[in-house]
């Protein structure tokens, strides 16, 4: 088995420190830890009644970071729609645009977190927000570099321009300092004046450096010529123009001529009387010692790298970057200090080791959001095709599955995870089937959402499971209509039969049906079970009776018994329902129909007589049953006589 790269982070749990025995239960995204009753020898003290929840990913519970997850989800879904058959030239600008969209979402969340951190009254909360800002800063820094090196894949010449933009974007404190200097009464005499000038030069912002130097030149008329020479050197420094007609070779020749001119000025001691201008001249020559003297202004080894490339190797090729990156990191960092995880990640990027970047980010960051989305984008750029994992899935799918599985533990973000699983062709459906069953169905609305997701993906087993759970819950709460509706959706004949029985029992007790709208509109669903069919047809009989369509009602009532659709236990109720029709002045039941009713009554009474007498049954109930039978016999005999007379009269 492969060894882990770093030791896992230790999570301290209060009760463990006393040497207590702990029990735990794994959840999909967290662990429940609790103290057990078992006591080790020598252990003392009372038991702890707390259950501790150890969360794997705390970020999904941050309201601001939830915006990051929501917004990036839309970008992710849009990325999946880019056609793979398009030529790479037309796809590349789309990928760069998507990468910038991801970065803009990161920046928006970062700015909001900064505002909340500043306004937070609780010190602990402010620290937490500050830490999240630091993580997002690092994420955006890495993503931006990956965009330059891998996605945009800038060639020599353009590469340095992109790296300059990268450094300028992530070293914004220069602008704050410059604002303070310019807003002061005498900018040229401000204590940070020369720091701002040097910082502008180190970032290649030479026009701004020239504007700053003019303020100093106006204060020193005697040194005006010296400032003019420096202004000329700064204005002449060539920058490669990718959209221009100049070739890289022509630019290189022009740059070397300018470099020689700067070197001549230094050799001629043109700035010997002004140490600041002399330092600027050395910076323009890319003098390593002078650059390293300005570590504080550079701040990081990668800023040092880009500045060194700007003034020494402006036509650096992508393949040469790793050499300069390694040497700059070694020169800039203290030989005794261990590189931070961020340094290792950036160095791996400069070495064009994409898989090492993803691996180190997975270890260093506390959730899968960054690696999942970056890997997905790089995979679409066809940069990860050669890297498959030993356990069945490719790297992109593995990271997306891990990220989506984490989202499923959240009460609202689980809906986003569905789309991520949808775009994992190998294991996505399996994961979705397992995870969707764990979504707590707190409300009917949420259950319908989950159900819709399952139905859209033909997940029939999960559909049945959800419907059964909701049907059982509705039945426990005596909501028969809802229970029947869910059981019909589940196509569960046994459960539909059970609920139909409950409806019929309710009818026998109360004399009316509940949830008439549902029963009236069963349609083909009533064929799910015999009992449900009977319920639907019996309700239809009542409607016909209410509409005074007695002949049709009588025919339907008889068919329910003769076709054996009605349960035997319900025959007495049906025969009782026939009484008002038998008592009508007009003959409703024909002679044949009356014979059939008599046969049904005879079968019912014979079965009742053959049963063992129920000692628990009150005498009054038995008397009522006997009275009903006598009334029915009398009504049937009278109806038969009337039917025979009527039919005989019609015949003659």
């Amino acid at each position: 088995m492969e060894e882990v790269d770093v030791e896992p982070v230790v999570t301290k749990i209060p009760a463990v420190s006393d040497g207590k025995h702990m029990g735990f239960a794994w959840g999909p995204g967290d662990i429940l830890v609790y103290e057990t009753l078992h006591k080790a020898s020598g252990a003392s003290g009372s038991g702890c009644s707390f259950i501790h929840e150890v969360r794997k990913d705390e970020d999904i519970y941050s309201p601001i970071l939830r915006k990051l997850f929501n917004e990036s989800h839309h970008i992710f879904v849009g990325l999946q729609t880019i056609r793979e058959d398009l030529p790479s030239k037309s796809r590349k600008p789309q990928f760069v645009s998507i990468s910038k969209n991801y970065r803009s979402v990161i920046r928006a969340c970062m700015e909001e977190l900064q505002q909340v951190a500043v306004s937070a009254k609780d010190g602990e909360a402010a620290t937490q927000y500050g830490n999240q800002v630091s993580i997002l800063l690092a994420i955006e820094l890495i993503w931006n570099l990956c965009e330059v090196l891998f996605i945009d894949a800038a060639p020599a010449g353009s590469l340095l321009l992109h790296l300059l933009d990268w450094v300028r974007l992530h070293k914004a404190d220069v602008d704050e300092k410059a604002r303070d200097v310019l807003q002061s009464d005498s900018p040229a005499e401000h204590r940070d004046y020369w720091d701002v000038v040097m910082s502008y030069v180190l970032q290649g912002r030479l026009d701004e450096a020239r504007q700053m130097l003019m303020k100093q030149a106006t204060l020193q008329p005697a040194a005006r010529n010296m400032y003019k020479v420096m202004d000329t050197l700064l204005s002449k420094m060539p920058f490669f123009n990718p959209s221009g007609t100049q070739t890289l070779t022509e630019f290189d020749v022009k740059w070397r001529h300018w470099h020689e001119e700067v070197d001549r000025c230094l050799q001629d001691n043109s700035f010997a009387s002004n140490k600041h201008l002399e330092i600027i001249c050395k910076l323009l020559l890319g003098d390593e010692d002078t650059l390293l003297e300005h570590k504080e202004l550079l701040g990081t080894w990668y800023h040092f790298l880009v500045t060194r490339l700007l003034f020494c190797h402006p036509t650096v090729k992508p393949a040469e970057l790793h050499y300069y990156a390694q040497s700059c990191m070694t020169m800039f960092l203290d030989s005794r200090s261990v590189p931070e995880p961020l340094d290792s990640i950036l160095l791996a990027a400069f070495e064009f080791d994409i898989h090492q970047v993803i691996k180190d980010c997975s270890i260093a960051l506390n959730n899968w959001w960054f690696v999942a989305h970056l890997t997905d984008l790089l995979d679409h750029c066809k940069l990860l095709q050669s890297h498959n994992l030993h356990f069945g899935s490719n790297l992109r799918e593995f990271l997306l599955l891990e990220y989506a599985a984490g989202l499923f533990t959240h009460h609202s973000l689980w809906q986003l995870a569905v789309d991520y699983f949808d775009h994992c062709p190998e294991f996505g459906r399996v994961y979705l089937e397992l995870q969707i069953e764990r979504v707590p169905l707190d409300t009917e609305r949420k259950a319908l959402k989950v159900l819709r997701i399952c139905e859209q993906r033909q997940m029939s087993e999960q559909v049945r499971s959800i419907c059964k759970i909701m049907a059982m819950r509705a039945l426990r709460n005596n909501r028969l209509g809802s229970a029947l509706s869910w059981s019909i959706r589940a196509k569960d004949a046994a459960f539909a039969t059970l609920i139909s029985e409950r409806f019929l029992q309710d009818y026998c007790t109360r004399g009316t049906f509940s949830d008439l709208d549902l029963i009236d509109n069963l349609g083909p669903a009533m064929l799910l079970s015999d009992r449900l069919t009977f319920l639907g047809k019996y309700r239809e009989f009542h409607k016909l009776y209410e509409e005074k369509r007695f002949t049709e009602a009588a025919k339907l009532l008889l068919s329910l018994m003769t076709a054996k659709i009605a349960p035997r236990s319900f025959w007495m109720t049906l025969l009782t329902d026939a009484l008002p029709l038998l008592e009508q002045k007009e003959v409703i039941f024909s002679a044949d129909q009356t014979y059939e009713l008599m046969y049904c009554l005879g079968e019912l009474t014979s079965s009742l007589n053959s049963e063992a007498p129920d000692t628990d049954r009150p005498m009054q109930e038995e008397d009522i049953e006997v009275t009903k039978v006598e009334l029915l016999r009398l009504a049937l005999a009278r109806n038969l006589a009337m039917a025979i007379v009527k039919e005989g009269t019609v015949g003659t």
Side-chain angles (χ1 to χ4, degrees), residues 167-168 171 173-175 177-178 192-206 208-209 280 283 294 296-298 303 307 310-311:
V167 162
R168 289 167 188 168
K171 195 80 172 70
D173 59 335
V174 184
D175 296 308
K177 269 189 186 179
D192 290 333
Y193 171 81
W194 284 108
D195 280 355
V196 171
V197 174
M198 300 299 175
S199 296
Y200 277 149
V201 173
L202 291 169
Q203 287 191 8
R205 296 164 67 176
L206 303 186
E208 286 138 302
I280 292 172
L283 290 176
H294 291 81
E296 199 174 319
L297 294 179
L298 288 165
H303 190 344
T307 303
L310 174 67
F311 297 123

Side-chain angles (χ1 to χ4, degrees), residues 472-487:
M472 190 62 78
R473 189 179 297 171
L475 188 61
R476 278 201 301 267
N477 295 327
N478 210 31
R479 293 168 55 228
L480 296 181
S482 180
L484 182 58
S485 177
W486 283 111
S487 64

